């Protein structure tokens, strides 16, 4: 097993959290290098795309969350070997990434613009993404996205749904998931109650 160091913000969610969960779930040893916001400006230029997460593998950096998720998913056995099943995992992860980016782009907007863009997203694109993701969950049997088992696609979707349901995204109603994709709300509980994930968050005091 290579020596793994995950660089990500000191925050239990979003793009770096799939990697943490994948490694905790499967007992892969890694250094969880949590970067405080105040230290980020001084570090930014050392990161390949001035972004995180960045995984160091035997000292060599690799960026882009879904690339990291696939790499670790393969190491951890949470990514399909079959090419078609793997493509289905990628589709979910990339769709989640697209929606995360669209919402994320609003974070630094002025309040008026933020309100308008988020209300527009909540009126159409977010429900559509949720319905499309739910359709893929159904196609996979309703419990997990592919291979009737937990993969990195489930972790990636879980973190998006947790964010949407948390109520912290102003102008996006917290019940948007329940109203548009109730199976994704159940999926959130399924992942959250996985014994190793529940134990991980409990150990972190969450
Ligand atoms: N496409 C990239 C996006 C990475 C990204 O936007 N990361 C955010 C944190 S979640 C970041 O590093 N932002 C830089 C900043 O806030 O200056 C990925 O999937 O890893």
């Amino acid at each position: 097993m290579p020596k793994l160091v995950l660089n990500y913000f000191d925050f239990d969610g979003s793009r770096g959290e799939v990697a943490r969960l994948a490694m905790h779930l499967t007992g892969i040893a890694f250094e969880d290098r949590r970067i405080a916001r105040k230290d980020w400006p001084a570090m930014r230029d050392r990161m390949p795309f001035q972004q995180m997460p960045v995984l160091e593998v035997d000292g060599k950096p690799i960026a882009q969350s879904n690339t990291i998720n696939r790499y670790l998913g393969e190491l951890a056995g949470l990514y399909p070997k079959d090419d078609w099943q793997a493509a289905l995992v990628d589709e979910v992860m990339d769709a989640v990434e697209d929606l995360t980016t669209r919402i994320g782009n609003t974070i630094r907007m002025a309040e008026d613009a933020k309100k308008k863009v988020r209300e527009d997203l909540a009126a159409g694109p977010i429900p559509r993404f949720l319905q499309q993701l739910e359709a893929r969950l159904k196609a996979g049997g309703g419990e997990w996205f592919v291979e009737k088992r937990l993969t990195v696609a489930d972790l990636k979707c879980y973190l998006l749904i947790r964010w949407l349901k948390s109520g912290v995204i102003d102008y996006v109603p917290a019940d948007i998931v329940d109203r548009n994709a109730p199976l994704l709300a159940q999926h959130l509980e399924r992942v959250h109650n996985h014994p190793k994930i529940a134990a991980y968050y409990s150990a972190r005091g969450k």
Side-chain angles (χ1 to χ4, degrees), residues 8-9 14-15 37 40 44 50-53 64-66 97 108 156:
Y8 193 57
F9 291 107
S14 201
R15 293 184 175 95
R37 272 275 165 196
W40 173 237
R44 190 185 280 122
Q50 298 181 310
Q51 290 174 326
M52 294 192 289
Q64 296 298 336
S65 57
N66 284 345
E97 185 56 31
R108 290 189 186 88
K156 183 96 183 180

